[in-house]
Amino acid sequence: WTVAWALALAAAAAPLAAQDPPRTQAALPTLTPADYSRWESLGALQLDPTGRWLVASVSRVDETAELRLSRTDGQGEAVALEQGASPAFTRDGRWLVYRKGVAPEERERLEDREEPVHDRLGTVDLASGRDTVLFASRSFALRDDGRWVASLGYAANDDAGSDLTVLELATGRRTTLGNVDEYRWQDEGGLLAVTLKTAFEDGNGVVLFDPDQGVLRTLESGGGSYGTLTWRDRSAQLAALRSVESDDHEDDGNDLLVWRDVTDAAAGPVILAGLGRADLPDTLRITGNAGIRFGRDGGLVYVGLGPWERSDGEEEDETGEETPEETPEDAPDEPGEEEGAGDEDADSGDEDEVGPADVQIWHWNDERIIRAQEYFADQDARRTYLAAWHLGQDRLVRLADELDEPARLVDGDRWALVPDYEPYQVDRRWGWGATDWYRVSVDTGERTLLAEGVETSVTTGPTGRAALVHQGDMWHAVDLETLARTPLGPDQGGRFTRSLFDHDYPGPHPAWGVAGWLEDEEGALLYDKHDVWRADLSSGEVTRLTRGAEEGLQYRITWPDPERGPAADDFRGIDPDEPLWLSVRHLDTKASGYARLERGSVRRLVLEDAQVSSLAKARDADRWVLRMERWDDSPDAFVGGRDLGDLRRVTATNPFQDGFAWGRSELLPYTTGAGHDLQAMLIYPAAFQEGQRYPLILYQYERLSDGLHRYRTPSQRDYYNPQVWSQEGYFVLMPDIVYEPGRPGPSALDAVEHALDAAVATGHVDPDAMGLIGHSWGGYQASYLPTRTNRFAASVAGAAITNFVSFMGAVHWNGGLPENGHWETGQGRMAVPFWEDFGGHLESSPVHEIHRLETPVLLMHGDADGVVDFRQGLEYYNDARRAGKEVVLLVYPGADHGLREEEDQVDYHRRILEWFGHYLKGEPAPAWITDGESWAERAKRLKGG
């Protein structure tokens, strides 16, 4: 069937600014919750290879979605593919293939009736505009040339695979293969590899389908299951795993099968057997958990080896024969009924035998506490030792000695890098540890120390000649052959390492990063705060390539062209003679855009007072797309040529916004008492009028000013939504905070006080109607600050840390980690445990000054919070209640660290507005604020009474 090109969004030429501001904001209505549902969010953007078409993912607050397909030349109208997802253009730009989902109402209806919910395959003929929705499709993949698409349906049960339909897009010709479990197209080839899964194992196997010839050929069949299909790039070499049973083990192992050339019908696979090899002990098995990876020339195959638990088996007698299971006729029927055992006075407790207790033993010397072991049990079970199989010599070389040593392959197939945490395990428990790095020979498995006591970064180049190690606030180049080390820029004073201002955590400071490697690893590109530097790995000399520091700009390399850069199969490093694309951002004004480095100079192409991102190039054409948005300007896609000087707006999201009043955002500079020059983001009320003073909501969480140009879609489910607060008539202040190690509370107070001063100094803010809000770490500050200042008329603290003594000993249940490390070197920033600085902990602890609280505080907590223990909320509530303070605690049963259920999200959103509406605007207080709600009243409300 055909969908009309019905979306009336003409993609005509438009200026760079996406939408003109409304004429008179004060005369326009503000939003109500009834208006939110149609609001749109712009998702991923994709140009077709020819650059003639753009597809954009669009979702709405009401959970409907579409793919919006537009011509990039501004001709015609856009077409909406309702509930479309996963778009893919064919190589020739003739077709768009996508999955068509089920609309929310229909999905809900099907789920209520316990009927299956299935996506379907959709195709769009871009020449005619014909949109055809076909059969059920769980996933699909295009052949590289775009002529064929393979689409996997839904299995009736877990015992067998699904139908795989291979469709020729131009003709509609199709072939269906049954019982398919996995499928993979050959890289830059015409063949489709498929694994079969049937209810009877004899029907399982690996088959090869040539859709051009209509030929299906079996590569392997028989017992066992098959999976982890992997093609070597640009070749006819294929690998797969085949399960193998062992009577001595609990679960199946695997054989690794490699076809050197699947087009050779006479050649079978080379097999790495999972059993019976001297270089593969029976305590290990080949697994698919690490996938399969080919070396560059196909002579090496990398695979993961995992622990293989032996089965208990039957007990054996002294002769080695199994003890018979059946009881001999002359044996006693039951234990304890041997001759003489039936005496009434015999002491026997068999009838009351007690089973094992489900007790957990938490030991002081556990590397990971029991909760962490429990939480990561499934992940731990998937850990593997990386191994290299040398096909020519049929040798298997293990590259790691421990499961917690994730070997990192170095391109070039000579080395792997392996971390050793063992010498630093105790310190690592508390977030302070380092790592020793070893170079491991892929040929022999020999380990050689590469770098000792590394606290930050190790990275390798694209050809395997060198590594970069960040140590002692400096990058060092290490020759992987000789292990000779050269410091890079020793006279640059640690400029490649983040300062305390830019990384305000205790402990070592990380590097700004590696931008890339030059061809053949003759050099590397490094970042400092502002610029890109070229480092000569032989001499250690560094040369600055950009001049961002002088202008307050930050340059970073970006790779918009899919045929270039690290993602390309044949990438061997950066050609220094080729142009290099750069993203550019002004660190003070937050303007952003793109530039190009060529012939030794930077050419700035786009720099807008907006958030400019997502630059991408059409594969085969000189057409480029980027995304642009501002706080008051909904995100849109712009398309232009190589120099980005002719950008044209192609999408038009939320065109109805012009019918509503809308706020704006600006930056407020301020200086803290500690001497930090910072900025705050100030959002104006939607219907702002000069000469009036408005209430203010301060939302804080570390540094937020970089979000100056981020567009926020209004939604009741996004309960901390500054767009909604703006629409409700509030200023919203979002300050930056820099923390001093050991003093997070006073640091936050210092920054917030001065940010408030800057906001009040505008003359637009009512200083007696200022509120505070935050969640998690921001919730901590929203519970702490009102105990140290009376400037806020009300506060809302979600999932707040409230006790700096008790919380240090808590457990992060969602990750299984004790809080100690997070507390000292992570977000807590306390640097030491509380017994080493008890006064400092009290200084930053909310509950320890609860008697000073004069601000009404609304607390929110889920009682299943796995990040901040629910008891933190209870402590603050109980202590404040005992001190006679105005505190209300909202508890959402079953909720984790964030609210996930729609009814909970909407409820909290509304209560925040009612709380601030009463305390900041003087609106009548609802009964839950003045009187609370009894257990009986709650039960009645939930029943709809």
Side-chain angles (χ1 to χ4, degrees), residues 22 132 196 205 207 231 267 304 358 431-432 456 461 481 505 564 582 594 600 709 713 731 750 764 817 847 856:
T132 304
L196 303 180
V207 299
W231 289 96
D358 186 12
W432 292 100
T456 52
E481 178 68 37
Y505 294 85
R564 298 184 61 215
L582 304 167
Y594 290 96
H709 296 304
T713 301
F731 272 97
D750 184 12
H764 306 317
L817 301 177
V847 298

Side-chain angles (χ1 to χ4, degrees), residues 432-727:
W432 292 100
T435 305
D436 293 341
W437 284 89
Y438 286 85
R439 182 199 68 185
V440 179
S441 168
V442 171
D443 185 51
T444 66
E446 179 185 7
R447 296 165 67 111
T448 306
L449 183 65
L450 173 76
E452 186 176 16
V454 178
E455 294 181 305
T456 52
S457 304
V458 174
T459 185
T460 57
T463 63
R465 292 181 54 189
L468 292 180
V469 178
H470 186 256
Q471 215 167 6
D473 285 341
M474 184 181 299
W475 282 110
H476 301 260
V478 181
D479 185 309
L480 286 177
E481 178 68 37
T482 67
L483 298 184
R485 178 180 287 221
T486 303
L488 304 182
D491 58 343
Q492 292 300 319
R495 69 162 56 246
F496 304 116
T497 300
R498 295 173 186 259
S499 68
L500 181 61
F501 179 86
D502 296 302
H503 182 81
D504 55 356
Y505 294 85
H509 290 185
W512 283 103
V514 176
W517 295 77
L518 300 184
E519 283 184 330
D520 299 321
E521 298 179 22
E522 294 295 336
L525 301 183
L526 307 178
Y527 290 136
D528 69 5
K529 181 172 183 175
H530 292 276
D531 290 302
V532 181
W533 293 68
R534 176 173 176 168
D536 186 298
L537 301 192
S538 298
S539 67
E541 293 183 2
V542 295
T543 306
R544 191 156 59 117
L545 303 182
T546 59
R547 290 292 182 269
E550 288 81 354
E551 300 174 282
L553 300 175
Q554 184 181 73
Y555 288 102
R556 294 295 183 256
I557 293 177
T558 187
W559 298 99
D561 187 345
E563 296 298 293
R564 298 184 61 215
D569 293 336
D570 57 353
F571 181 70
R572 307 291 289 176
I574 298 169
D575 183 347
D577 295 326
E578 290 290 321
L580 201 58
W581 284 86
L582 304 167
S583 66
V584 55
R585 185 167 66 99
H586 198 289
L587 297 182
D588 290 334
T589 69
K590 315 306 178 184
S592 60
Y594 290 96
R596 200 165 54 237
L597 176 63
E598 49 190 341
R599 293 187 294 277
S601 62
V602 174
R603 181 182 179 189
R604 199 179 304 157
L605 305 175
V606 173
L607 186 61
E608 293 286 323
D609 283 323
Q611 183 169 302
V612 183
S613 61
S614 306
L615 181 67
K617 178 186 178 295
R619 178 170 178 169
D620 299 326
D622 201 13
R623 300 293 286 167
W624 305 72
V625 63
L626 56 76
R627 170 190 174 115
M628 195 179 307
E629 64 187 285
R630 292 195 305 268
W631 170 263
D632 55 357
D633 186 356
S634 182
D636 276 311
F638 294 78
V639 174
R642 183 172 184 269
D643 292 337
L644 307 182
D646 57 345
L647 288 173
R648 175 194 304 274
R649 190 182 73 202
V650 176
T651 63
T653 58
N654 301 315
F656 38 79
Q657 177 183 316
D658 286 350
F660 296 92
W662 214 260
R664 69 178 191 272
S665 64
E666 67 181 28
L667 290 172
L668 287 182
Y670 59 97
T671 301
T672 69
H676 298 302
D677 293 325
L678 300 177
Q679 294 174 308
M681 177 179 170
L682 183 65
I683 302 161
Y684 278 65
F688 172 78
Q689 296 185 57
E690 289 285 349
Q692 293 190 18
R693 293 201 302 181
Y694 294 83
L696 175 144
I697 296 174
L698 186 146
Y699 178 85
Q700 31 67 54
Y701 191 100
E702 299 192 344
R703 303 191 192 191
L704 299 173
S705 67
D706 283 347
L708 177 72
H709 296 304
R710 179 189 172 196
Y711 183 87
R712 291 294 294 265
T713 301
S715 170
Q716 291 191 94
R717 299 191 64 172
D718 180 10
Y719 35 84
Y720 301 123
N721 190 307
Q723 191 70 263
V724 170
W725 300 335
S726 170
Q727 291 290 325

Side-chain angles (χ1 to χ4, degrees), residues 652-904:
T653 58
N654 301 315
F656 38 79
Q657 177 183 316
D658 286 350
F660 296 92
W662 214 260
R664 69 178 191 272
S665 64
E666 67 181 28
L667 290 172
L668 287 182
Y670 59 97
T671 301
T672 69
H676 298 302
D677 293 325
L678 300 177
Q679 294 174 308
M681 177 179 170
L682 183 65
I683 302 161
Y684 278 65
F688 172 78
Q689 296 185 57
E690 289 285 349
Q692 293 190 18
R693 293 201 302 181
Y694 294 83
L696 175 144
I697 296 174
L698 186 146
Y699 178 85
Q700 31 67 54
Y701 191 100
E702 299 192 344
R703 303 191 192 191
L704 299 173
S705 67
D706 283 347
L708 177 72
H709 296 304
R710 179 189 172 196
Y711 183 87
R712 291 294 294 265
T713 301
S715 170
Q716 291 191 94
R717 299 191 64 172
D718 180 10
Y719 35 84
Y720 301 123
N721 190 307
Q723 191 70 263
V724 170
W725 300 335
S726 170
Q727 291 290 325
E728 292 288 331
Y730 296 98
F731 272 97
V732 183
L733 184 66
M734 303 169 73
D736 289 344
I737 300 171
V738 172
Y739 300 90
E740 299 174 52
R743 305 191 74 227
S747 298
L749 179 62
D750 184 12
V752 165
E753 290 271 24
H754 288 88
L756 287 174
D757 291 342
V760 172
T762 65
H764 306 317
V765 173
D766 182 350
D768 297 323
M770 299 191 298
L772 175 67
I773 191 168
H775 189 87
S776 191
W777 185 250
Y780 152 63
Q781 292 169 176
S783 69
Y784 169 84
L785 294 172
T787 66
R788 269 64 174 187
T789 178
N790 295 327
R791 297 188 68 175
F792 295 104
S795 182
V796 178
I801 301 166
T802 67
N803 188 326
F804 262 43
V805 177
S806 66
F807 190 71
M808 177 194 149
V811 171
H812 193 298
W813 289 93
N814 285 358
L817 301 177
E819 279 293 337
N820 309 81
H822 184 235
W823 197 245
E824 294 180 37
T825 62
Q827 196 169 42
R829 298 177 173 89
M830 289 306 298
V832 296
F834 70 80
W835 54 85
E836 293 185 21
D837 183 15
F838 194 67
H841 278 71
L842 297 185
E843 180 186 41
S844 288
S845 181
V847 298
H848 289 93
E849 294 286 340
I850 198 72
H851 57 281
R852 295 178 52 191
L853 179 67
E854 299 298 333
T855 302
V857 177
L858 176 65
L859 300 167
M860 187 283 289
H861 231 111
D863 66 5
D865 193 330
V867 178
V868 176
D869 196 304
F870 170 46
R871 294 169 184 81
Q872 289 288 303
L874 288 179
E875 284 191 46
Y876 196 92
Y877 166 77
N878 280 326
D879 292 343
R881 184 169 177 266
R882 174 64 180 85
K885 307 301 181 181
E886 294 182 48
V887 174
V888 174
L889 172 61
L890 303 177
V891 179
Y892 291 91
D896 202 334
H897 193 55
L899 303 179
R900 294 292 180 264
E901 299 299 325
E902 181 177 6
E903 56 269 27
D904 292 347

